[in-house]
Amino acid sequence: LRPAYLYPGVESPLRDKQPGSIDILVFRENVEGEYANIGGRLYQQQSDEVAVQTSVFTRRGCERIIRAAFEKAGTRPKQHVTSITKSNAQGYGMVLWDEVFTAVAADFPDIATDSLLIDAAVMEFVRRPESFDVVVARNLFGDILTELGAIIIGSMGLAPSANIDPARKNLSMFEPVHGSAPDITGQGIANPLAAILSAAMMLEHLELPESAAAVHRAVGNLLASDGPRTPDLGGEATTEE
């Protein structure tokens, strides 16, 4: 599972938000869907070439990510989960997703829910990002929404993420949403805040909430003040600074 915090850094995601602030946590299924890479190509380099890309959805995979999203939502002030779907056009995998979402929601009667088609969701991410709390999505849709969300809050350099085994049987990995940013390698201008906030997510996962909150407060204080900013945030500071 790949949760990614998307927020402006003025307050910790572990604490109550000020009115109007943005705190979105996206749960992205990370092994199924289109990224299962099942399919093939026929008649390559011919005029009648065919490429088939098969999306894979399992009830176990859908329930695992959706249940994890609900469990996390229960620890947050808004206690709201939005499912991202496209079952009006994808009548098998996404219908299964919708059915599982409804079934899991019944186990969490105190958590509010809604469901949005992906095309409506990207519009609402731009128009009303403050209306979201926890968002749960299939692999491809989650990938799109986290990239969009990072830019909405001001920079790809502000969005942390994690690859998590909710059963805690395997190691989890924590990294910025943006990846390695090879286009600016060696220039000393990369924004380190997403990496620092990813470390905070790791501390939270390790059940060290006070340490995680301290990191979030430090980042929030920096962004709320006239502290150094890398070029992606309109400043001239280096990564080291």
Side-chain angles (χ1 to χ4, degrees), residues 219-237:
V219 172
N221 290 339
L222 172 70
L223 294 175
S225 69
D226 293 326
R229 281 167 169 70
T230 44
D232 59 302
L233 296 179
E236 299 180 352

Side-chain angles (χ1 to χ4, degrees), residues 29 37 85 91 121 128 150 198 218:
E29 201 291 318
N37 203 31
T85 185
R128 297 187 304 124
S198 295

Side-chain angles (χ1 to χ4, degrees), residues 127-214:
R127 187 175 71 159
R128 297 187 304 124
E130 72 282 355
S131 67
F132 292 96
D133 181 22
V134 175
V135 175
V136 61
R138 61 193 272 193
N139 209 332
L140 178 60
F141 293 169
D143 195 0
I144 293 169
L145 290 173
T146 52
E147 300 286 318
L148 173 63
I151 293 302
I152 288 173
I153 62 172
S155 169
M156 290 292 290
L158 291 175
S161 74
N163 292 276
I164 289 177
D165 173 14
R168 296 176 179 264
K169 294 180 179 179
N170 301 288
L171 296 176
S172 296
M173 182 179 73
F174 302 82
E175 63 177 349
V177 164
H178 59 68
S180 59
D183 57 320
I184 56 173
T185 298
Q187 299 180 37
I189 60 172
N191 189 339
L193 293 182
I196 293 169
L197 290 168
S198 295
M201 291 187 74
M202 180 184 69
L203 292 169
E204 182 181 354
H205 180 71
L206 295 174
E207 299 180 349
L208 298 169
E210 293 181 1
S211 298

Side-chain angles (χ1 to χ4, degrees), residues 75-128:
T75 70
R76 291 161 60 88
K78 284 186 179 180
Q79 298 199 357
H80 185 277
V81 178
T82 301
S83 171
I84 307 302
T85 185
K86 192 60 179 174
S87 52
N88 62 332
Q90 298 174 324
Y92 298 106
M94 287 270 72
V95 169
L96 172 61
W97 174 280
D98 290 352
E99 292 172 352
V100 174
F101 182 81
T102 299
V104 173
D107 294 336
F108 298 87
D110 295 331
I111 295 179
T113 66
D114 62 351
S115 181
L116 286 177
L117 299 176
I118 180 60
D119 40 340
V122 295
M123 177 182 70
E124 295 300 333
F125 255 56
V126 174
R127 187 175 71 159
R128 297 187 304 124

